[in-house]
Amino acid sequence: MEEKQLHGILTLIVPQLIALIAEKQKVDELQATEALYQSELYALLEDEDTKLWHLSPLTLYEMFAEEKQTGQITFPEEA
């Protein structure tokens, strides 16, 4: 996948993920955005080789929440 295509997909996924973080962590969207961009999950999401872009926003949120709680990320079987 070309980098341009990945960024196109991320522009669809990231806003949904930010909304989930804001809703479930009870923070505003700015705080959710900062938390996501500072996470290891986001770095992995930007790496096309991880193929995380094909996971649902809910699955990505669960991975984000796990990282925040434990400092680790478990990749689902589908990744």
Side-chain angles (χ1 to χ4, degrees):
M1 175 185 299
E2 292 183 23
E3 187 172 326
K4 187 176 180 179
Q5 291 173 313
L6 177 61
H7 283 286
I9 291 171
L10 291 180
T11 61
L12 298 173
I13 295 171
V14 169
Q16 295 176 57
L17 184 52
I18 289 170
L20 280 169
I21 293 168
E23 175 189 335
K24 294 187 179 287
Q25 307 250 325
K26 302 193 185 319
V27 296
D28 63 37
E29 286 194 9
L30 179 60
Q31 292 171 312
T33 301
E34 289 174 350
L36 177 61
Y37 287 160
Q38 293 172 359
S39 70
E40 179 65 23
L41 178 70
Y42 186 75
L44 292 169
L45 188 59
E46 283 191 309
D47 181 355
E48 199 279 334
D49 291 338
T50 65
K51 308 291 186 204
L52 290 181
W53 50 265
H54 82 281
L55 298 174
S56 72
L58 184 57
T59 299
L60 291 169
Y61 170 75
E62 290 169 354
M63 294 170 72
F64 171 85
E66 178 187 31
E67 179 186 351
K68 290 299 171 194
Q69 291 176 347
T70 69
Q72 297 180 346
I73 299 173
T74 302
F75 289 82
E77 300 252 342
E78 59 186 275

